[in-house]
Amino acid sequence: MTGKEGGHIDHAAAGAVPPHADAMNPDALELAPGTAHERLEGWIPELAGEEELRGALEKAFDYRGDVTITRKDGSKIEGYLFDRRTGASLKESFVRIYPKNSNEKIAVSYAEIGALAFSGRDTAAGKTWEAWMKKYAEKKARGEKDLSLHPEALE
């Protein structure tokens, strides 16, 4: 394919614009926007219906701390929610959780869940690049020699 159909332009023509002129600046594409994380620590969502339950469990799946699931029979499981499988109904959908004080993995049907609480500390809260740079700049401004930043203990 040649000519205009092939994307070729007559550079001598008045007002000639290459076909890629409207393309985004590749330097601007180097910085992708980050994900905004909600402050969910301590949140106890109201699970009035199926939509609220599914939405809260999606947030729990993305949460970087422990959650507490209260089953409709009153039993509680506190731990890290690491997997969820959504089906056509609540009975066919389930989450998998690592209990806080056990090495086993427990599957809980959405239909069994009576309440959910974001009970554990969000281990990644405040751990953005900007927060790291602010701490680094503060250490440098104080004249500290060891400018490395060490992770805080989880517990």
Side-chain angles (χ1 to χ4, degrees):
M1 188 182 301
T2 62
K4 291 180 184 176
E5 297 85 20
H8 300 279
I9 62 165
D10 179 3
H11 293 285
V17 178
H20 62 279
D22 291 332
M24 293 182 73
N25 177 355
D27 291 332
L29 295 174
E30 292 296 316
L31 297 175
T35 302
H37 291 285
E38 296 178 70
R39 298 276 179 176
L40 298 173
E41 192 171 315
W43 181 49
I44 301 172
E46 185 175 328
L47 307 178
E50 182 175 339
E51 188 175 318
E52 290 86 1
L53 176 63
R54 288 184 184 272
L57 289 171
E58 281 300 308
K59 289 180 182 191
F61 175 71
D62 290 333
Y63 188 60
R64 291 124 338 158
D66 286 348
V67 297
T68 300
I69 293 174
T70 304
R71 290 182 172 141
K72 290 181 178 176
D73 68 5
S75 63
K76 293 184 179 191
I77 305 168
E78 183 177 7
Y80 183 74
L81 194 151
F82 71 94
D83 188 19
R84 86 285 192 221
R85 307 283 166 102
T86 56
S89 68
L90 293 180
K91 194 171 187 173
E92 296 170 353
S93 305
F94 64 92
V95 293
R96 294 195 310 160
I97 188 167
Y98 285 116
K100 191 172 186 175
N101 299 319
S102 172
N103 290 330
E104 67 179 308
K105 300 172 191 173
I106 297 177
V108 180
S109 168
Y110 283 25
E112 294 176 46
I113 298 173
L116 176 70
F118 292 76
S119 53
R121 184 172 69 95
D122 185 348
T123 58
K127 306 289 194 288
T128 64
W129 173 251
E130 291 81 12
W132 186 89
M133 287 301 298
K134 181 180 177 189
K135 288 178 186 176
Y136 178 86
E138 289 170 354
K139 284 181 131 187
K140 191 173 184 177
R142 288 193 300 264
E144 293 184 28
K145 300 294 182 208
D146 178 19
L147 293 178
S148 62
L149 296 173
H150 304 285
E152 63 185 59
L154 291 177
E155 289 191 29

